[in-house]
Amino acid sequence: MKKISLVLVILLAFGAMAFAGGGQQGGGTGGASAAPLIGIAMPETTVLRWVKDGASLKAEAEKLGYRAELQNGNGDQVQQNQQIGNLLTQGAKLLVVGQLNDGVASAISDAARDKVAVIAYDRIIQNSADYDYYITFNNFKVGQLQGQGLVKAMNLDAATTAAPKYITYFAGSPTDGNAFFFFDGATSVLNPYIEKGVLKVVGPAPKDSKDTANFQRIATEGWLPNIAKNRMENLLTGDARSVTLDAVLAPNDTLARAIIEACLADAKYAQKLPVVSGQDAEAASLAMIKNGQQAMTVFKDTGKLAEAAIILADQILKGVANPVVPGAVLASSIGLESIGDTGKKVVKAYLLDPINITKDNWREPITAGFISADEVAANGLQ
Ligand code: GAL
């Protein structure tokens, strides 16, 4: 009798351990820890869109049944690298990374070491051969829309060599590959007017971002608004003191509003501001477009970018060799393969379409659900 009871006790013990172990691994019960982990590393929250990107990425990943861990680098690449390291330690199977600068490359090589796939999100990861995918908007087209918006808003087609229009240039952060494509897209529209002599640049005048020295002089480190405001104030009392500016090329909305703030403080522009471009369809800028203080912005629906990024991630994790992403085109299929050039490799770059926003369609980002009800109320966008 004793022998049977001992066997029973041993069997019961093993059964309990197996169940508990299975519960921890989420085996038969399919516990939450069974789902693969997608790590999401966003760069900062100064520019509001990144807050929306992070929330959308996490929601889209969980919608497809993944676990998702969202981290925010608060503008510090060292901090973001530590966060990426932690995500790898937690067993992330794929990382979605919105970088701050190419210092991120060391963390991406750690991911490659651990055989963890990486998607560069909205900003290319430069000087790295350790990843294969990049998803963003057509950033050259973003710049073209900015250039076209300024041409229209300052009525440049009516300008003459006897009565030229005057513009000054701002670019985004020199640490951000997008900034170079934004500027090149805009100057591809503006350069023919300069060559005709009907548009004159006040201050540094690079023809494109390959003019590195002059591009660096118009670039705005870290996309920081106070840097743009200070530079605009210096231009108004310096290079631009003896002309009246008709336009300012601003690469995104936070810089556009800082530049407009500087102009509003200058008596010369009390009656008429220069026309100013922008990007990101931020609520505060939609209000300034509605009241005529900002000429345009570019709407990049980060909800769509996040959804597309997670659809791409899902296919990568399922081993699909050539992922197809609805709503995105491969840069190589439209002659823009260079958008995926990291400097060490050409990665697959998926591009979504940006949308031009002016006084005629400023409600579009609200209708699309990109602007929250609180933002509508806070910015008088009813
Ligand atoms: C760029 C991004 C823009 C804007 C800017 C400022 O990389 O493409 O949409 O957000 O950063 O953060």
Side-chain angles (χ1 to χ4, degrees), residues 44 47 49-50 122-123 136 139 176 178-179 182 223 252 254 279-280 300:
E44 44 134 308
V47 180
R49 57 135 319 164
W50 295 110
D122 193 48
R123 294 172 169 171
T136 185
N139 294 315
D176 178 355
N178 292 351
F182 300 148
W223 291 91
N252 84 332
T254 44
Q279 174 186 187
D280 289 328
K300 304 184 332 181

Side-chain angles (χ1 to χ4, degrees), residues 97-378:
V97 178
Q99 57 88 301
L100 281 147
N101 59 55
D102 59 6
V104 74
S106 57
I108 303 309
S109 62
D110 290 346
R113 173 205 61 206
D114 297 354
K115 308 237 180 305
V116 171
V118 172
I119 298 174
Y121 182 84
D122 193 48
R123 294 172 169 171
I124 198 163
I125 293 168
Q126 294 142 324
N127 303 324
S128 170
D130 291 326
Y131 71 105
D132 298 306
Y133 298 98
Y134 170 35
I135 191 163
T136 185
F137 289 89
N138 183 335
N139 294 315
F140 186 82
K141 182 172 179 184
V142 167
Q144 288 176 305
L145 292 174
Q146 292 172 335
Q148 289 156 4
L150 291 177
V151 166
K152 189 173 176 200
M154 69 171 130
N155 193 17
L156 190 50
D157 287 323
T160 62
T161 50
K165 301 277 187 181
Y166 293 92
I167 189 171
T168 195
Y169 288 161
F170 284 75
S173 179
T175 62
D176 178 355
N178 292 351
F180 298 75
F181 285 103
F182 300 148
F183 185 71
D184 290 347
T187 50
S188 73
V189 172
L190 298 171
N191 283 343
Y193 291 95
I194 294 168
E195 281 140 31
K196 276 195 289 192
V198 299
L199 180 66
K200 294 192 180 303
V201 182
V202 176
K207 289 207 177 319
D208 57 41
S209 61
K210 292 184 184 64
D211 176 354
T212 308
N214 281 307
F215 181 79
Q216 292 294 338
R217 292 174 64 204
I218 65 170
T220 313
E221 191 68 34
W223 291 91
L224 293 173
N226 61 322
I227 292 178
K229 184 166 180 258
N230 293 339
R231 183 168 166 256
M232 189 65 207
E233 287 165 348
N234 293 338
L235 276 164
L236 291 171
T237 55
D239 288 346
R241 83 184 158 284
S242 55
V243 297
T244 299
L245 289 170
D246 298 288
V248 182
L249 174 65
N252 84 332
D253 288 348
T254 44
L255 303 192
R257 294 197 303 276
I259 287 160
I260 291 166
E261 192 183 332
C263 291
L264 286 170
D266 185 318
K268 190 192 295 185
Y269 298 99
Q271 299 310 316
K272 187 173 182 290
L273 284 165
V275 294
V276 180
S277 56
Q279 174 186 187
D280 289 328
E282 291 185 350
S285 282
L286 294 180
M288 293 177 87
I289 288 167
K290 179 185 170 192
N291 72 15
Q293 288 181 319
Q294 184 173 330
M296 55 76 66
T297 186
V298 178
F299 174 32
K300 304 184 332 181
D301 190 336
T302 54
K304 287 199 167 58
L305 181 63
E307 182 183 22
I310 297 300
I311 289 170
L312 174 59
D314 185 45
Q315 291 182 58
I316 295 166
L317 288 168
K318 287 172 177 163
V320 174
N322 296 300
V324 173
V325 179
V329 294
L330 264 175
S332 53
S333 71
I334 53 171
L336 285 175
E337 195 169 23
S338 63
I339 282 189
D341 186 352
T342 74
K344 288 196 173 164
K345 172 181 191 178
V346 177
V347 299
K348 285 195 179 105
Y350 293 81
L351 307 182
L352 281 76
D353 227 15
I355 299 167
N356 190 45
I357 298 293
T358 65
K359 202 165 187 169
D360 300 335
N361 66 339
W362 61 266
R363 290 185 189 280
E364 199 162 323
I366 300 169
T367 317
F370 177 72
I371 301 291
S372 69
D374 290 352
E375 287 178 290
V376 167

